Amino acid sequence: MNTEHANPAELAALRVAFAVTNSTSALGWEAVRAFESEHGVLLPEPYRTFVAEIADGSPLGPPKEGLLALGDMSERTEPGFLKRPFPLTEEWLGEWDDGIDSDDELYWERLDDITFDGSLYLGTEGCGMDWHLIVSGTRRGAVWMLDGESAIPFGGERGQMPGPPGFAGWVTHWAADRPWFPDLEEVVSL
């Protein structure tokens, strides 16, 4: 996954995926650079080029409730939250090694850090299952599903959500109408 330079094949796949989705017009480079300047981050590729040249959101998805426009991607407004590193490097299933649980106020503070620091809110599947693009930290360029009880990266060969990593992989997975959790689909059908 190259987050510094747009891959022409990935951009072509994004153009195909959004050609029929009634996407919102692209922002253009000036607006993308203004957003980056305001928030102190460089958006990862291919998302950066996607927003500038292809589309700024789509009501049809991904995710289920639609892909949000760049300016609609956060409830948090404090300066600098996007440039703070996303705090996770691997999936988190709702418990910290130091024994903090959901009855502890520190749990909710840490959950806020996971939900906001270094990530753009892409949209929701509903029921609190939200998709985020990581823009700062070691997982920059990855797409994660975050909810109040877990944080799971999309992509890779292993894990709960296998597929091509990054924004382009996430979109092409959705465009092919594949389930996010293939193992769960098998269990449900039994």
Side-chain angles (χ1 to χ4, degrees):
M1 176 171 65
N2 186 341
T3 62
E4 302 303 317
H5 302 285
N7 176 320
E10 288 181 337
L11 292 175
L14 291 170
R15 283 184 175 88
V16 168
F18 286 94
V20 295
T21 66
N22 298 324
S23 301
T24 307
S25 298
L27 277 182
W29 285 105
E30 187 176 325
V32 169
R33 288 184 189 110
F35 178 90
E36 292 173 330
S37 178
E38 177 184 347
H39 293 283
V41 296
L42 181 67
L43 296 172
E45 290 293 355
Y47 177 77
R48 184 174 194 251
T49 299
F50 168 77
V51 173
E53 297 181 0
I54 300 170
D56 183 26
S58 170
L60 300 180
K64 182 179 180 181
E65 302 289 329
L67 179 62
L68 294 177
L70 181 60
D72 297 336
M73 292 190 163
S74 181
E75 300 167 3
R76 201 165 206 169
T77 58
E78 71 199 46
F81 78 95
L82 286 178
K83 64 182 177 182
R84 287 195 297 261
F86 180 69
L88 299 176
T89 57
E90 58 189 44
E91 92 178 11
W92 170 77
L93 299 176
E95 295 181 10
W96 278 276
D97 292 339
D98 54 10
I100 295 171
D101 64 28
S102 62
D103 294 332
D104 192 319
E105 188 175 320
L106 187 54
Y107 176 95
W108 299 103
E109 290 174 21
R110 287 187 177 176
L111 188 58
D112 276 352
D113 291 345
I114 291 170
T115 304
F116 296 110
D117 286 358
S119 75
L120 285 175
Y121 177 54
L122 297 174
T124 186
E125 292 293 327
C127 298
M129 297 184 305
D130 300 332
W131 291 101
H132 290 250
L133 173 66
I134 308 309
V135 298
S136 299
T138 58
R139 296 304 304 263
R140 183 175 180 270
V143 175
W144 286 55
M145 180 181 276
L146 307 177
D147 63 28
E149 299 171 357
S150 64
I152 304 168
F154 173 81
E157 293 179 20
R158 298 183 336 224
Q160 294 188 49
M161 290 189 284
F167 181 75
W170 179 69
V171 168
T172 56
H173 189 91
W174 162 79
D177 200 28
R178 293 189 192 114
W180 297 121
F181 295 97
D183 291 341
L184 184 59
E185 293 291 319
E186 292 171 13
V187 171
V188 171
S189 67
L190 293 177

